[in-house]
């Protein structure tokens, strides 16, 4: 007898936690919560990936959002910083809509 896992149950996507509070409208990149949830970053490597199960324990209502890599993959850009190439997510209107920012969420740093 063999056991097969359905594709619907077999989730191979990678996930990241985005800060809805600190992804300011006038910042160049979307702000992620770091893997350990102790700070914030723009660098995708510092942010994860993590499992959706682990991120669900860290999500803060109205302040963070779980985002699958498959949704943002085509928008990622390589940025050379600190003598290393890193992947970051541009803070564009299209990306903000994909992540789930509401139109009313327009944080601005002065």
């Amino acid at each position: 007898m063999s056991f097969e896992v359905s594709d619907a149950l077999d989730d191979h996507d990678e996930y990241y936690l985005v800060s809805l509070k600190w992804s300011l409208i006038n910042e160049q990149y979307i702000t992620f919560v770091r893997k350990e949830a102790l700070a914030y970053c723009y660098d995708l490597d510092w942010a994860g990936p993590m499992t959706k199960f682990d991120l669900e324990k860290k999500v803060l209502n109205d302040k963070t959002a779980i985002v699958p890599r498959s949704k943002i993959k085509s928008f990622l850009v390589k940025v050379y910083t600190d003598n290393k190439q890193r992947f970051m997510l541009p803070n564009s209107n299209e990306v903000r809509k994909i992540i789930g920012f509401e139109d009313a969420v327009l944080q601005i740093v002065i």
Side-chain angles (χ1 to χ4, degrees), residues 45-63:
D45 286 339
W46 293 356
M50 295 182 66
T51 65
K52 191 171 185 179
F53 177 78
D54 288 337
L55 287 176
E56 285 173 343
K57 295 182 236 174
K58 298 176 182 185
V59 75
L60 299 172
N61 292 343
D62 301 330
K63 294 184 181 178

Side-chain angles (χ1 to χ4, degrees), residues 17-55:
L17 194 58
V18 169
S19 173
L20 301 176
K21 180 179 179 181
W22 294 110
S23 289
L24 306 172
I25 194 76
N26 57 343
E27 291 286 330
Q28 189 172 2
Y29 302 106
I30 293 293
T31 303
F32 293 96
V33 178
R34 289 189 185 203
K35 294 177 199 176
E36 297 80 23
L38 298 175
Y40 302 97
C41 62
Y42 298 126
D43 184 345
L44 210 61
D45 286 339
W46 293 356
M50 295 182 66
T51 65
K52 191 171 185 179
F53 177 78
D54 288 337
L55 287 176

Side-chain angles (χ1 to χ4, degrees), residues 89-105:
L89 186 60
N91 190 3
S92 67
N93 286 336
E94 188 174 10
V95 168
R96 290 174 74 85
K97 285 180 185 175
I98 287 170
I99 290 171
F101 281 86
E102 295 179 21
D103 291 337
V105 179

Side-chain angles (χ1 to χ4, degrees), residues 14 16 18 29-30 32 42-45 47 67-79 86-92 95 98-99:
E14 298 173 332
Y16 299 88
V18 169
Y29 302 106
I30 293 293
F32 293 96
Y42 298 126
D43 184 345
L44 210 61
D45 286 339
V67 179
R69 183 181 180 100
S70 60
K71 272 189 164 181
I72 60 172
K73 184 169 61 172
S74 64
F75 297 98
L76 294 173
V77 294
K78 286 182 186 177
V79 177
R86 303 175 187 279
F87 283 99
M88 297 185 191
L89 186 60
N91 190 3
S92 67
V95 168
I98 287 170
I99 290 171

